[in-house]
Amino acid sequence: TSAPETHAFEADVARLLHMMVHSVYSDKTVFLRELVSNAADACEKLRYEALSAPDLLGDETRLAIAITLDPEARTLTIEDNGIGMTADDMGEALGTIARSGTKAFMDRIAASSGSDGAQLIGQFGVGFYSAFMVASKVDVISRRAGADTASLWSSDGLGTYTIADVAAGDAPARGTRVVLHLLEDATTYTDRFTVERLIKDQSGHVPVPITLREKPDADPVDIADGAALWTKPKADISAGDYADFYRSVSGQYDEPALTLHYRAEGLHEYSVLAYVPGAKPFDLFDPDRNGRMKLYVKRVFITDDAEVLPRYLRFMRGLVDSSDLPLNVSREMIQESPMLSAIRKGVTGRVLAELDKLATRDPEGYSKIWENFGAVLKEGLYEDFERREALLKLARFKTTTSGGAWRSVAEYVAAMKDNQTAIYYAVGTDLDRLEASPQLEGFRARGIEVLLLPDSVDGFWVTAGIDHEGKPFKSVTQGAADLSLIPLINGAEQPTADATPEVADFIAFVKTTLADAVSEVRASERLTDSAVCLVAADSGMDRQLERILAMSGQ
Ligand code: ADP
Ligand code: MG
């Protein structure tokens, strides 16, 4: 054995630790959920690696998590016989943050005030470092599966950690032991009943069994059976079980807005347990953000990187467990397999169908989902040609006449005026500015409803040539519309588009003044109060899209 080496935490970790230790996050109990979830992940990783290297399991084939309390020493120990870590793994995993979205998270934290920050930490999943909310010192003793040597990582969370070799006798035969030296005000976590209740509430459904010893020389007691919830019959699962599982699979602490649990049979057999979250993850629009659905094969966790669902459903959490994907091929081969694309197709269709059902059954509940994830779902309108109609049916819009409520395209079409031939929309960057746009005057004066589209994705899908039952989508900034055929609601005369001599003179003046800056100047029935507005040519690009493209340098 050599002397311990001291290392400094990466800057982001140091910031995160500082926030934890100074306790912006009030619910400290999450540390236990996070450490148990890491132990369970480690067991699942070993299970996967053992598929191609069965020797890694040796005689110890039963993967499990053991928690030991020691009220006298004021410690709480979580031990797993999973994959374990080498000294190098530890430096990497427990000194840096590899997780995607970290940068977005840190930026949001830096920009937020105290209590917002607390919520964000909750959403991010506080991870290993949450141990420092309750511990003044954390020791991690680990032996990688198959390795002869073991190492000890140790830190007080104040900026540095040490890594040293440890004697084989002081380390687990395989896997990781995390010892928390609890703070004085955290002694409650050496209480058997407190810990048992927390584990059952937070981690009762992790797919690895958990035992608890109330003191080092006591017998271990089973407190979670490690059975895969998704394989149980629906009748045996309570709403509470589903919600607990959602929290453990997603790492989010909110209530799911929609739960989907079914088994597909036929050509391919697989189980699906998927959730629409009740809260919006902060990194939904981070360019690195991928889907988070987990892929299992015959209850063995394979990856959470497989695109089990298309990008526009990346807010979904949960898992798919296939009975017939081969277990003995690499993750990469599974990702490319036609069977996985068949599963993706099936699950995608089902998710959209369930959203549609919810929209009918519980319009208000559905509106909340749309409010959180509508901007993501709309990406599907131009990405997924095949499901465009289904997605358009799910879409909801605020409009000039909806008074802040969400409207469907079907509702819009049902309320169209006589002679109205298109579904009108206005694209912009925020609702208030959109509503104030002079472009809408002529439509308002005729009682014609206009969809207000404030999301950046809107500029794209509207140009994808979508229609609804033969009614095209048309921008209010594009050319003269049906306006001259639809009467004004206050009974006033149609403003005439035929220019009087004065107007003709004025138009000629504007044309010479603006020269090449405009392609045409003409009188129009679209305005009732304002004098002029900019429009795009009939065949031209929508003004908002023009702006987006100009900003992105195209
Ligand atoms: P996350 O679990 O989201 O990756 P954490 O902060 O919880 O983030 O953990 C960081 C990393 O530390 C894990 O990805 C894993 O590599 C490693 N790790 C933590 N606990 C264990 C453990 N019990 N066994 C093996 N590796 C672990
Ligand atoms: Mg973790």
Side-chain angles (χ1 to χ4, degrees):
T1 54
S2 53
E5 278 182 40
T6 303
H7 307 264
F9 286 114
E10 190 186 58
D12 279 346
V13 177
R15 276 163 72 196
L16 186 65
L17 280 169
H18 184 84
M19 288 185 307
M20 303 273 191
V21 172
H22 294 84
S23 207
V24 287
Y25 196 61
S26 52
D27 182 9
K28 294 180 195 257
T29 64
V30 300
F31 84 90
L32 197 53
R33 179 205 316 259
E34 295 294 340
L35 296 181
V36 169
S37 114
N38 285 349
D41 289 350
C43 293
E44 295 204 296
K45 280 182 201 160
L46 176 60
R47 212 176 264 159
Y48 174 75
E49 287 203 8
L51 293 174
S52 48
D55 286 354
L56 289 179
L57 281 176
D59 304 334
E60 216 176 305
T61 53
R62 185 176 181 274
L63 299 174
I65 300 171
I67 299 177
T68 305
L69 309 177
D70 189 339
E72 265 166 46
R74 214 202 295 152
T75 60
L76 182 157
T77 301
I78 298 173
E79 182 163 331
D80 65 72
N81 58 359
I83 192 72
M85 287 178 276
T86 64
D88 286 349
D89 292 340
M90 284 180 169
E92 184 65 29
L94 310 180
T96 63
I97 307 179
R99 194 168 155 179
S100 90
T102 303
K103 196 184 163 323
F105 170 72
M106 286 297 175
D107 292 349
R108 287 276 295 275
I109 284 274
S112 68
S113 57
S115 68
D116 291 354
Q119 277 192 1
L120 278 172
I121 289 188
Q123 264 192 48
F124 188 60
V126 280
F128 170 77
Y129 304 110
S130 64
F132 290 99
M133 296 196 297
V134 297
S136 55
K137 179 165 173 265
V138 178
D139 294 327
V140 181
I141 304 138
S142 192
R143 187 203 305 256
R144 166 86 200 189
D148 298 329
T149 57
S151 314
L152 162 69
W153 179 102
S154 184
S155 177
D156 58 8
L158 295 178
T160 62
Y161 60 89
T162 58
I163 295 183
D165 297 338
V166 298
D170 294 336
R174 179 186 69 219
T176 304
R177 179 185 304 150
V178 179
V179 184
L180 307 188
H181 300 270
L182 296 166
L183 289 162
E184 242 166 87
D185 63 2
T187 44
T188 172
Y189 303 115
T190 58
D191 173 61
R192 183 199 137 185
F193 295 102
T194 307
V195 172
E196 180 171 347
R197 185 181 43 78
L198 275 176
I199 297 282
K200 284 185 168 159
D201 286 357
Q202 300 183 338
S203 314
H205 297 295
V206 298
V208 180
I210 305 174
T211 58
L212 176 65
R213 279 191 296 177
E214 60 183 311
K215 46 184 197 281
D217 54 6
D219 288 330
V221 176
D222 294 334
I223 54 170
D225 65 4
L229 184 74
W230 62 93
T231 61
K232 295 186 182 171
K234 279 173 100 159
D236 295 352
I237 308 174
S238 70
D241 291 336
Y242 277 127
D244 287 347
F245 186 76
Y246 161 73
R247 286 185 284 265
S248 75
V249 77
S250 71
Q252 289 189 206
Y253 305 148
D254 49 78
E255 292 286 325
L258 181 66
T259 302
L260 207 81
H261 182 200
Y262 70 97
R263 180 164 177 77
E265 273 158 11
L267 199 51
H268 301 298
E269 292 193 1
Y270 54 89
S271 300
V272 178
L273 179 47
Y275 301 88
V276 178
K280 191 159 143 180
F282 65 93
D283 61 346
L284 214 43
F285 295 98
D286 192 301
D288 299 332
R289 172 65 147 81
N290 291 320
R292 296 270 167 80
M293 288 284 288
K294 298 187 178 196
L295 178 66
Y296 282 73
V297 175
K298 302 183 188 76
R299 297 189 207 181
V300 177
F301 172 69
I302 305 294
T303 173
D304 49 13
D305 247 7
E307 284 157 33
V308 172
L309 287 172
R311 244 188 96 67
Y312 64 85
L313 293 176
R314 63 182 174 276
F315 56 86
M316 298 288 301
R317 307 304 295 256
L319 60 91
V320 172
D321 185 356
S322 158
S323 311
D324 34 33
L325 275 168
L327 263 172
N328 55 353
V329 300
S330 70
R331 291 191 175 103
E332 291 68 30
M333 282 177 70
I334 286 186
Q335 305 221 34
E336 321 239 296
S337 92
M339 217 180 282
L340 184 62
S341 23
I343 291 175
R344 179 183 305 131
K345 204 169 159 185
V347 184
T348 304
R350 182 69 179 252
V351 169
L352 298 190
E354 293 294 328
L355 285 171
D356 190 47
K357 271 194 226 160
L358 180 73
T360 315
R361 186 176 72 224
D362 174 13
E364 214 168 291
Y366 179 72
S367 293
K368 286 202 193 99
I369 292 180
W370 183 261
E371 201 128 351
N372 281 334
F373 306 117
V376 183
L377 279 162
K378 282 189 283 190
E379 292 172 14
L381 287 170
Y382 63 89
E383 281 177 5
D384 192 347
F385 187 78
E386 238 177 278
R387 297 205 180 70
R388 193 177 264 183
E389 223 166 286
L391 283 160
L392 196 58
K393 198 167 164 225
L394 289 173
R396 295 292 180 272
F397 304 97
K398 298 202 165 157
T399 77
T400 46
T401 60
S402 73
W406 292 105
R407 297 266 281 172
S408 68
V409 175
E411 286 170 317
Y412 178 102
V413 169
M416 274 171 58
K417 298 280 168 192
D418 293 343
N419 292 330
Q420 183 181 341
T421 57
I423 299 165
Y424 291 105
Y425 65 82
V427 184
T429 47
D430 73 84
L431 269 183
D432 291 343
R433 279 175 62 179
L434 266 176
E435 290 210 77
S437 164
Q439 312 272 9
L440 300 177
E441 284 172 10
F443 294 86
R444 282 220 173 83
R446 292 169 180 82
I448 302 174
E449 184 171 16
V450 177
L451 306 179
L452 302 171
L453 309 181
D455 296 320
S456 45
V457 50
D458 290 321
F460 293 94
W461 70 262
V462 292
T463 60
I466 299 179
D467 65 43
H468 175 80
E469 291 170 0
K471 308 276 189 300
F473 282 79
K474 206 160 185 194
S475 167
V476 294
T477 71
Q478 262 166 334
D482 311 326
L483 296 185
S484 60
L485 299 173
I486 301 173
L488 279 82
I489 39 183
N490 63 6
E493 235 179 89
Q494 285 286 359
T496 165
D498 300 330
T500 59
E502 289 100 319
V503 173
D505 283 350
F506 176 69
I507 286 177
F509 166 74
V510 175
K511 271 186 182 162
T512 27
T513 312
L514 294 179
D516 290 344
V518 292
S519 60
E520 211 199 326
V521 181
R522 61 175 180 237
S524 148
E525 54 277 279
R526 85 170 57 234
L527 295 176
T528 52
D529 299 323
S530 302
V532 289
C533 70
L534 282 170
V535 299
D538 270 334
S539 57
M541 222 185 266
D542 178 81
R543 295 245 323 126
Q544 184 62 24
L545 183 60
E546 242 174 81
R547 239 178 263 154
I548 292 173
L549 293 179
M551 275 192 299
S552 62
Q554 295 185 42

